[in-house]
């Protein structure tokens, strides 16, 4: 972590290629990772996926919305997959209900993406 902080600051001082949309400086290389740790702990304590908490946090920190959305979706996919594997391992998964939720989630995602794509085409 210390090496990464040093590398990011060194690259910004040399005006090298930017690694992200966030303007990194001495203060941000300490506070932003602390925000992420606190958000992750809060998400874990309240039983929600990290992506639900960290997505808005990334937007507030200046990350591009597409990057924040994709990162949030990956975090949610990871936590939900691990939860499903945990239920399967302990024999607590009701497969009929799991299949129904999977199908419903897939169809809702497909519908939402289709509607948003049409809305964006209409508004341009």
């Amino acid at each position: 972590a210390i090496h990464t902080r040093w590398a990011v600051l060194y690259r910004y001082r040399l005006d090298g290629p930017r690694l992200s949309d966030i303007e990194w400086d001495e203060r941000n290389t300490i506070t932003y990772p602390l925000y992420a740790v606190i958000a992750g702990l809060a998400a874990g304590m309240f039983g929600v996926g990290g992506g639900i908490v960290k997505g808005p946090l990334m937007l507030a920190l200046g990350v591009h919305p597409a990057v924040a959305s994709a990162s949030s979706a990956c975090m949610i996919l990871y936590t939900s997959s691990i939860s499903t594997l945990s239920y399967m391992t302990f024999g607590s998964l009701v497969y009929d209900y799991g299949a129904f939720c999977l199908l419903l989630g897939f169809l809702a995602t497909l519908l939402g993406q289709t509607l948003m794509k049409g809305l964006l085409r209409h508004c341009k």
Side-chain angles (χ1 to χ4, degrees):
I2 293 171
H3 173 70
T4 303
R5 179 178 184 264
W6 177 82
V8 167
L9 289 174
Y10 182 72
R11 185 172 293 194
Y12 268 85
R13 286 188 190 118
L14 293 178
D15 284 331
R18 299 291 185 219
L19 298 174
S20 67
D21 296 333
I22 299 173
E23 288 296 323
W24 293 103
D25 58 17
E26 294 286 337
R27 180 179 166 267
N28 293 346
T29 57
I30 298 294
T31 56
Y32 288 179
L34 284 175
Y35 290 157
V37 168
I38 292 168
L41 288 173
M45 287 189 324
F46 296 119
V48 296
I52 294 171
V53 176
K54 290 185 182 177
L57 177 64
M58 287 187 282
L59 289 175
L61 297 178
V63 176
H64 191 274
V67 174
S69 176
S71 300
S72 178
C74 286
M75 286 184 249
I76 292 170
L77 176 67
Y78 176 74
T79 56
S80 62
S81 299
I82 294 300
S83 295
T84 302
L85 286 175
S86 175
Y87 275 93
M88 287 174 64
T89 302
F90 293 114
S92 300
L93 181 65
V94 179
Y95 288 95
D96 300 359
Y97 185 67
F100 174 75
C101 288
L102 176 71
L103 181 65
L104 184 65
F106 177 77
L107 292 175
T109 301
L110 184 65
L111 177 68
Q113 290 292 324
T114 304
L115 289 175
M116 287 305 296
K117 189 182 292 186
L119 183 64
L120 288 173
R121 279 193 194 136
H122 177 66
C123 291
K124 282 188 177 182

